[in-house]
């Protein structure tokens, strides 16, 4: 490749928060026409900040970025193609929460650089089929009615259908199960061979990046450094566990969302489960099968339409009985408050009141800077906000802790740290932990009980 092939050039790019905290410094990079570049690195290193800036988005309002990003469009101008198409981390934010997704797609077509809007719609439908997402489901829903993996695949399809000169994706596989990740790998491989679209992909999944990228860079203290080899750290072996009493029982629960009572399609059907104190329970399975619904039912955010969920421990009005960290961990917090202010509000009424010193200790255990407490939830990275939500949830000492894909935005080292913290919390506080994940290694090494929703006949939308 030569300098004439350059499509995007980064020169001395530096980012700081409003308080002066350095996010990254003096980044230099050249993206060539048709090239696929991967960026990995620890949570909080600035991957999302970098990608949002390259996509032309401001991101968090108190982050300042200096340096130059040169778009070398050259002869590519006039093709009727958008220069950049971007998938953010948490792609559900691309769509209005209560607006039909099909209407959003039509608006994108009308606002875009498309000479043939029907062709754009056909491209999306073709990509939905490639990514194994039902066209009617995707187009006749609101984004809130889709699972995390379904929302992810819809966002991938919409942005790729724009046929951009540069496709930028932040954690594109974070909510995908193994089969759907393989489908995405295969499709990106076809695009890569055609060299029509350049790509910048940020991910903690080095195995994925190594399959689809020409070059992979680590983002860290030394800036962007070319990565030449993979490394992996295993999570500690699953704890043997102690004999404990039944804390929660799920008794023949049915729950669904669509249709009326006569033709309702249930995602949870005749589901029973016994949860013991001090034990970690994992729910695994493909996207959209009902894992998040099961967590919301257990945590009391929704009531089952049939059956019941019983708590066998003694409830204390001065103590939070259940906490749920959602798949999009930013939704755990109030976007208008600092993380500390919101957390203190949750802690009001607890006896004894949890101390700030303990919260700071939890943050440090999870490799987080306590200064993040002063920030609003929009500032931390995806991996940081997941660990912040976990720290606050543990700080509040719930007897039931539900974690929806708490590992999805984490690198290998932070997965190890989070696994140990979850394990210790369940044991020390005799609490029930129920989590969902697409990472079978994470589940196998941490959970005492694993429910495979793909083979459990109680799960699925039928």
């Amino acid at each position: 490749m030569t300098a004439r092939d350059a499509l995007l050039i980064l020169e001395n790019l530096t980012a700081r928060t409003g308080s002066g905290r350095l996010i990254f410094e003096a980044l230099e990079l050249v993206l060539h026409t048709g090239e696929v570049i991967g960026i990995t690195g620890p949570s909080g290193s600035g991957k999302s900040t970098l990608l949002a800036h390259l996509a032309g988005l401001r991101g968090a309002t108190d982050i300042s970025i200096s340096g130059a990003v040169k778009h070398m469009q050259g002869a590519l101008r006039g093709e009727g193609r958008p220069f950049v198409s971007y998938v953010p981390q948490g792609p559900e934010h691309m769509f209005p929460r209560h607006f039909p997704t099909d209407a959003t797609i039509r608006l994108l077509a009308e606002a875009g650089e498309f000479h043939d809007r029907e062709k754009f719609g056909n491209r999306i439908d073709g990509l939905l089929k490639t990514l194994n997402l039902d066209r009617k489901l995707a187009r006749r829903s609101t984004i809130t009615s889709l699972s995390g993996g379904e929302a992810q695949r819809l966002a991938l399809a919409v942005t790729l259908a724009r046929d951009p000169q540069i496709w930028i994706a932040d954690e594109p596989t974070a909510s995908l199960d193994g089969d759907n990740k393989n489908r995405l790998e295969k499709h990106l491989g076809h695009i890569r061979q055609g060299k029509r679209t350049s790509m910048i992909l940020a991910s903690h999944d080095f195995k994925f990046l190594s399959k689809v990228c020409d070059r992979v860079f680590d983002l860290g203290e030394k800036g962007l450094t070319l990565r030449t080899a993979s490394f992996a750290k295993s999570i500690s072996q699953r704890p043997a566990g102690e004999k404990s009493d039944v804390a929660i029982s799920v008794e023949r629960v049915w729950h669904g969302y669509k249709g009326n009572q006569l033709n309702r399609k249930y995602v949870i059907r005749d589901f029973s489960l016994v949860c013991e104190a001090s034990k970690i329970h994992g729910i695994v399975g493909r996207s959209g099968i009902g894992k998040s619904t099961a967590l919301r039912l257990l945590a009391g955010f929704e009531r089952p339409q049939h059956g019941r969920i019983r708590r066998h421990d003694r409830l204390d009005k001065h103590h939070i009985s259940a906490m749920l960290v959602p798949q999009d961990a930013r939704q755990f917090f109030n976007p208008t408050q600092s993380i500390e202010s919101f957390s203190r509000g949750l802690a009001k009424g607890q006896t004894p009141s949890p101390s700030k010193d303990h919260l700071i200790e939890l943050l440090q255990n999870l490799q987080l800077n306590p200064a993040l407490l002063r920030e609003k939830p929009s500032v931390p990275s995806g991996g940081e906000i997941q660990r912040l939500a976990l720290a606050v949830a543990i700080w509040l000492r719930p007897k039931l802790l539900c974690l929806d894909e708490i590992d999805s935005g984490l690198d290998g080292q932070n997965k190890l740290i989070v696994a140990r913290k979850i394990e210790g919390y369940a044991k020390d506080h005799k609490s029930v932990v129920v989590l969902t994940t697409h990472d079978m290694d994470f589940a196998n090494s941490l959970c005492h009980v694993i429910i495979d929703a793909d083979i459990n006949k109680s799960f699925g939308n039928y």
Side-chain angles (χ1 to χ4, degrees), residues 131-252:
L131 298 174
N132 193 36
L133 184 59
D134 181 78
R135 174 187 176 277
K136 292 182 179 179
L137 172 68
R139 283 183 170 269
R140 296 180 183 178
S141 304
T142 61
I143 201 67
T144 55
S145 67
L146 299 176
S147 74
E150 289 166 343
Q152 183 91 31
R153 282 176 282 156
L154 177 61
L156 295 172
V158 169
T159 53
L160 285 168
R162 300 181 71 218
D163 188 26
Q165 294 172 35
I166 302 176
W167 187 63
I168 298 176
D170 194 354
E171 298 288 354
T173 65
S175 298
L176 302 185
D177 56 56
D179 288 342
N180 285 316
K181 186 189 296 186
N182 291 337
R183 291 184 178 94
L184 178 62
E185 286 176 2
K186 185 177 180 180
H187 184 69
L188 295 185
H190 288 317
I191 297 176
R192 180 185 177 191
Q193 289 175 2
K195 293 190 177 295
R196 177 176 169 85
T197 298
S198 303
M199 303 182 219
I200 302 176
L201 315 176
S203 177
H204 291 300
D205 188 343
F206 179 73
K207 184 178 179 182
F208 165 75
L209 293 179
S210 65
K211 289 181 178 179
V212 301
C213 296
D214 298 295
R215 294 184 290 163
V216 179
F217 293 86
D218 272 317
L219 178 56
E221 294 180 358
K222 297 181 179 179
L224 287 167
T225 56
L226 188 64
R227 186 166 179 174
T228 57
S230 173
F231 67 92
K233 295 187 178 181
S234 62
I235 297 169
S236 58
Q237 290 298 310
R238 181 172 59 194
E242 300 175 358
K243 186 176 181 180
S244 55
D245 297 328
V246 173
I248 301 171
S249 59
V250 181
E251 301 173 359
R252 308 199 67 174

Side-chain angles (χ1 to χ4, degrees), residues 323-390:
M323 294 292 295
L324 169 63
V325 177
Q327 196 168 356
D328 178 5
R330 292 187 207 280
Q331 294 181 6
F332 180 82
F333 299 98
N334 184 333
T336 66
Q337 289 182 284
S338 71
I339 291 167
E340 181 178 358
S341 296
F342 176 75
S343 302
R344 284 187 177 277
L346 286 180
K348 283 183 179 178
Q350 283 210 41
T351 305
S353 178
S355 69
K356 183 178 177 180
D357 288 343
H358 182 217
L359 179 56
I360 289 175
E361 180 184 353
L362 286 168
L363 296 180
Q364 292 170 336
N365 290 343
L366 291 168
Q367 301 295 302
L368 290 167
N369 188 338
L372 288 170
L373 290 174
R374 298 194 294 269
E375 307 286 4
K376 290 184 178 179
S378 60
V379 173
S381 72
E384 287 175 330
I385 202 69
Q386 283 182 309
R387 286 177 285 151
L388 281 163
L390 176 63

